[in-house]
Amino acid sequence: MFGVNVIEKDYGVFINNPNGFLALSDFTVSHGVDIVNNVNIIIAKDDFENLDKESDNQDERLYIAQDVDSISFYKDKFGDITLYTFITNDIVIGEFTDKLKVANSPKGFIDAKIDISHVLYINKVLSKKDLLKIYKKIARVKAKYLASMNLPTHINNILNTNDFLAVLCDVPQSKGYEFDEVDVYDLNIGDAIETAIDKCLERMNLTFGILDYLVSEGILIGDLIDTAMELIDDADVTDELRQKMENQLLNAFADINVITLLMAAIRTEQDFEGNRIREIDINENLKYLHSDEVLGLAIANQIAGTNAIFNFKRYNDAKPGILAYLPPLLEDIFAGLIAGCVTKAIDE
């Protein structure tokens, strides 16, 4: 009795079962539901004319095939389930300072990709109906779990734009063979997918920090420095002062209390804009909203104490530079951040 084997070559990964798979997939070459001997994941192929020569035991179109940018993958076993997770990742986490990192890509955030794809094999003979249930469950679990991570917007925009999914099971070897009875919910597919995603992100070293969340809001350090310089009237605006301001900002972004206040504002603003809180309508007059100023005062005080609170009032009233374009909570929190860093830079 032959089993499932994996053939790895420099241009592709070939998952083979001489006894055949029943496959449900969204692959480039697929009928949706197929009975095949081979599941082929191949790098950057414009066509698949030579596939029959590239993997073993293939009769006419006894395969499904997916074209990919990367064949990096790993395998996990969960009882009767074997899960192959394929990774395409163009994001690199680089050092920004000795305390801060930032996610970037040599392709830029328009062309970059992060794709987490799966081929799941169940060592059972299942009906097409059960296979469809499993396929839909995987898609739901995956989407829900990734959404729960609240990744920075520019990262979320490039996530799984070209991912793929195939669910495989055995096929009957004789007429009259009865399908295995399974409870889809007892297969622990959700746990398998979530575990695989966690492991995948860990292997890619894909973590995100405060600078990534600022980028996702369109807030750059240079813009914050320019804004800070606009209301300085008790010191000369010099390159030295600008450098001091940048140093103070970077120090602030490494402060756990500053990070907490910034993320509180960012997350709450997202909930406001997404109309996720029934009692709050951002289209109405927000004159009764004062907690944004409390956050601004708190972050100014955290960075530079009482003197920064007075500067916060000036920046918050005038709204120079980037402050004029930010939504309510972010406007006040960044007015406080700038006020605190300006005060400390001048006092040095």
Side-chain angles (χ1 to χ4, degrees):
M1 186 88 174
F2 295 102
V4 175
N5 60 86
V6 178
I7 303 166
E8 296 183 53
K9 299 186 179 181
D10 58 357
Y11 54 85
V13 176
F14 306 92
I15 303 171
N16 170 261
N17 184 356
N19 291 315
F21 295 116
L22 175 63
L24 175 60
S25 75
D26 59 5
F27 276 25
T28 310
V29 175
S30 168
H31 293 128
V33 179
D34 301 86
I35 294 178
V36 298
N37 292 120
N38 295 276
V39 178
N40 305 321
I41 296 92
I42 301 177
I43 292 180
K45 289 282 185 178
D46 293 329
D47 60 72
F48 298 95
E49 292 179 358
N50 297 317
L51 278 177
D52 291 340
K53 301 175 184 178
E54 293 170 345
S55 57
D56 300 331
N57 301 316
Q58 297 201 72
D59 296 324
E60 186 178 352
R61 258 293 277 124
L62 287 179
Y63 62 85
I64 56 174
Q66 176 69 28
D67 62 326
V68 294
D69 295 326
S70 167
I71 54 171
S72 174
F73 82 102
Y74 61 90
K75 181 176 79 170
D76 287 306
K77 286 279 290 182
F78 304 89
D80 290 322
I81 294 172
T82 303
L83 182 62
Y84 305 89
T85 300
F86 290 81
I87 306 167
T88 297
N89 176 36
D90 296 324
I91 300 300
V92 177
I93 308 299
E95 301 285 341
F96 197 80
T97 70
D98 59 342
K99 296 180 180 179
L100 293 168
K101 297 180 179 181
V102 68
N104 217 327
S105 172
K107 293 184 177 181
F109 284 107
I110 295 177
D111 297 323
K113 295 178 183 177
I114 305 172
D115 289 321
I116 301 174
S117 303
H118 301 292
V119 175
L120 184 142
Y121 165 65
I122 303 170
N123 186 23
K124 290 181 178 295
V125 178
L126 304 178
S127 67
K128 292 181 181 179
K129 183 177 180 180
D130 281 340
L131 207 62
L132 178 59
K133 286 181 182 178
I134 293 168
Y135 185 97
K136 291 168 69 174
K137 182 175 177 62
I138 293 172
R140 286 196 303 268
V141 168
K142 185 177 175 182
K144 185 177 180 180
Y145 194 61
L146 290 172
S148 73
M149 294 180 178
N150 287 315
L151 300 176
T153 303
H154 62 298
I155 299 298
N156 207 44
N157 287 342
I158 63 173
L159 179 64
N160 282 350
T161 57
N162 195 37
D163 61 322
F164 57 86
L165 173 60
V167 182
L168 318 173
C169 68
D170 295 328
V171 295
Q173 298 302 304
S174 62
K175 291 183 177 180
Y177 189 97
E178 294 184 0
F179 297 120
D180 291 327
E181 292 186 8
V182 298
D183 186 336
V184 171
Y185 297 97
D186 287 341
L187 288 175
N188 294 323
I189 290 171
D191 290 342
I193 295 297
E194 291 179 5
T195 299
I197 290 173
D198 286 341
K199 187 182 292 188
C200 183
L201 295 175
E202 183 179 344
R203 287 187 179 217
M204 291 190 289
N205 190 30
L206 208 56
T207 58
F208 302 102
I210 189 62
L211 294 184
D212 301 307
Y213 286 99
L214 296 190
V215 170
S216 73
E217 298 295 328
I219 298 170
L220 305 179
I221 291 176
D223 294 332
L224 296 174
I225 295 172
D226 291 341
T227 299
M229 298 298 107
E230 287 195 30
L231 289 183
I232 290 180
D233 55 12
D234 52 357
D236 293 331
V237 176
T238 62
D239 289 342
E240 181 183 3
L241 181 58
R242 292 180 65 89
Q243 185 60 56
K244 286 183 177 180
M245 178 65 187
E246 180 177 347
N247 293 341
Q248 292 303 329
L249 283 168
L250 294 176
N251 287 336
F253 292 142
D255 182 329
I256 186 173
N257 295 293
V258 172
I259 293 171
T260 299
L261 290 164
L262 287 172
M263 289 307 301
I266 289 171
R267 295 290 197 213
T268 304
E269 194 71 64
Q270 289 173 350
D271 283 340
F272 280 10
E273 292 180 357
N275 294 315
R276 301 186 190 112
I277 303 172
R278 185 188 306 111
E279 292 79 10
I280 297 175
D281 183 351
I282 62 171
N283 296 316
E284 294 181 355
N285 191 335
L286 294 179
K287 65 180 179 180
Y288 299 110
L289 179 66
H290 304 302
S291 55
D292 51 347
E293 293 188 9
V294 173
L295 289 174
L297 288 167
I299 200 169
N301 185 64
Q302 170 65 26
I303 295 170
T306 305
N307 287 342
I309 292 175
F310 295 106
N311 276 331
F312 166 72
K313 177 66 174 171
R314 293 176 59 235
Y315 278 94
N316 197 38
D317 287 345
K319 296 178 177 40
I322 193 173
L323 297 181
Y325 304 100
L326 294 177
L329 266 76
L330 297 191
E331 170 201 304
D332 282 8
I333 196 80
F334 279 98
L337 173 77
I338 291 170
C341 291
V342 164
T343 302
K344 205 161 187 179
I346 291 175
D347 288 347
E348 278 191 339

